[in-house]
Amino acid sequence: MSVFEPGSIVEERKDFIHTKGRQKKSLKCDSDSIAGCVSQRACVYCGARVVLNPVTDAVHLVHGPIGCASYTWDIRGSLSSGSELYRNSFSTDLQEEDVIFGGEKKLTAAIDQLVEKYPTKLVFVYATCIVGVIGDDLEAVCKNASLRHGIEVIPVESSGFIGNKAAGYRAACHALLRLINSGVNQDNNKVEKIPMSVNYLGDFNLAGEAWIIQNYLHPLGIKVNTNFTGDSTYRSLKDAPKASLNIIQCAGSMAFLAKEMEEMFGIPYMNISFLGVEDTSGSLLRIAEFFNSHKAVKAAEELINREEEIVKPLIEGYRREFQGKKAAVYVGGGFKAISLIKQFREIGIEVVMVGTQTGRPEEYETISDMVEEGTVVLDDANPTELEKFMMEKEAHLLVGGVKERPLAYKLGIAFIDHNHDRKHPLSGFAGAVNFAGEVYSTLCSPVWKYLK
Ligand code: SF4
């Protein structure tokens, strides 16, 4: 049966796909991918690595075969204002012999060698599939290494097969909590809060995005205490309990950490979004209002007026070029998808297909409320489904990540990279203009007329 014929969706996938207006039921999500159905979603290890990789002065050691490490080596757009140690990718390169006799000795030797060559206070050791299968005792190896070297060696329980990418986010948050909670911060009640300060959660400083937001908050009198995890360090992460508020950009990866920090350190949290003009303005105001400071709110209003005056005419100029264009969205988290729907609305483009790798039920409900009748909403899609719905809905543009790019180009559809490997900022007012500009240059490129 051709994948384009009606009813060609794999039976087990039907509950994960929803067309607005046609079906009333809610979307199934947050479950493991169907075995044999190669989805666009990455593994647990990858989810953990996404969150932890931007910790700049840490050694990131992948305990597993070399292939697992290949995903990460310098393909991330996260920038650092200091150490460049995180740009290296280290692997224990497990071989057949290690699989048979165990990889603990090799891991111990690798940690010793790395710590000697790259003096650091922090080592993350990532478990991969094979480590879960052969049962190496990561905890014990890391504990011993930690005592031997007098530094933090933290195991990240991220064997690829133990769940989906969201489980990797959770494993990374556990590792971060372990770091924050050990040593100096053990007496949580004595941590003194810095007034008017925030931890910025779920920004990985791609192309310096965390710095853009920092520069917006500074004139409001609000200090960014710690970033999770863009441009973060061992020291800055340890200082996280001092913040008065946690603001969360990427809820998929950081909601768990925020909830735990509220319980442990009494830090309240709020979801914000700095994608698009509407969300950026709204978020700045909400943060200023949280601190109950008239001065901060006034400064936020001034900044918003000033920035909107600059960027709105620029965006309007692009908007005129996009009449009748339709977009498809396939990104990691639900919150980002919601922001993108709004952002496309800002530039006058209708979203006709929207999917995520790790969206949550409440996010899919919001997405469903926002989109027009007939829009396809789908969770944990595979390339066949993406292709089918993009063709069916006649999308002109796909927003996705590294794995979706070739798919779009093969179909002759324009593409925008919204993933961790990009090198240009899409956050804040500046990012909103970049986004519109990028949509313009890809969507209106003359190249497409030669491909049709
Ligand atoms: S951890 Fe497992 S699923 Fe992930 S890249 Fe390695 S082998 Fe593949």
Side-chain angles (χ1 to χ4, degrees), residues 8 25 30 32 40 45 56 74 78 124 143 150 186 192 195 222 244 264 285 312 336 351 360 391 403 411 421 428:
S8 61
K25 61 178 184 180
D30 207 13
D32 294 346
Q40 297 294 96
Y45 153 71
T56 58
D74 210 27
S78 301
F124 287 117
K143 193 175 169 200
Q186 260 167 6
E192 207 173 306
I222 297 168
S244 306
M264 288 176 182
L285 263 183
K312 280 195 167 167
K336 191 197 265 185
V351 173
R360 292 170 299 170
M391 300 310 279
K403 297 191 288 308
L411 295 173
D421 45 331

Side-chain angles (χ1 to χ4, degrees), residues 43-46 65 67-68 127-130 158-161:
C43 72
V44 177
Y45 153 71
C46 174
C68 303
T128 57
C129 283
I130 198 66
S158 53
S159 294
F161 60 82

Side-chain angles (χ1 to χ4, degrees), residues 184-292:
V184 291
N185 294 322
Q186 260 167 6
D187 194 352
N188 297 337
N189 294 329
K190 286 200 179 139
V191 176
E192 207 173 306
K193 300 280 179 235
I194 302 169
M196 301 281 286
S197 69
V198 296
N199 289 327
Y200 185 20
L201 275 57
D203 188 314
F204 305 110
N205 203 29
L206 306 177
E209 285 177 335
W211 297 331
I212 293 175
I213 305 313
Q214 217 164 295
N215 288 340
Y216 292 155
L217 292 174
H218 179 72
L220 275 53
I222 297 168
K223 177 182 158 30
V224 175
N225 177 52
T226 305
N227 277 327
F228 284 89
T229 52
D231 192 25
S232 63
T233 60
Y234 167 82
R235 188 63 261 159
S236 72
L237 292 168
K238 283 276 192 197
D239 282 343
K242 295 178 183 168
S244 306
L245 171 70
N246 279 338
I247 53 172
I248 317 170
Q249 168 73 49
C250 174
S253 61
M254 287 284 152
F256 173 71
L257 184 70
K259 280 182 196 146
E260 291 293 306
M261 285 177 81
E262 182 173 51
E263 215 163 278
M264 288 176 182
F265 310 114
I267 306 175
Y269 62 88
M270 67 162 72
N271 287 320
I272 49 85
S273 162
F274 290 116
L275 297 176
V277 176
E278 183 188 332
D279 275 5
T280 302
S281 299
S283 296
L284 286 173
L285 263 183
R286 279 175 49 227
I287 296 166
E289 280 162 2
F290 170 86
F291 289 108
N292 218 1

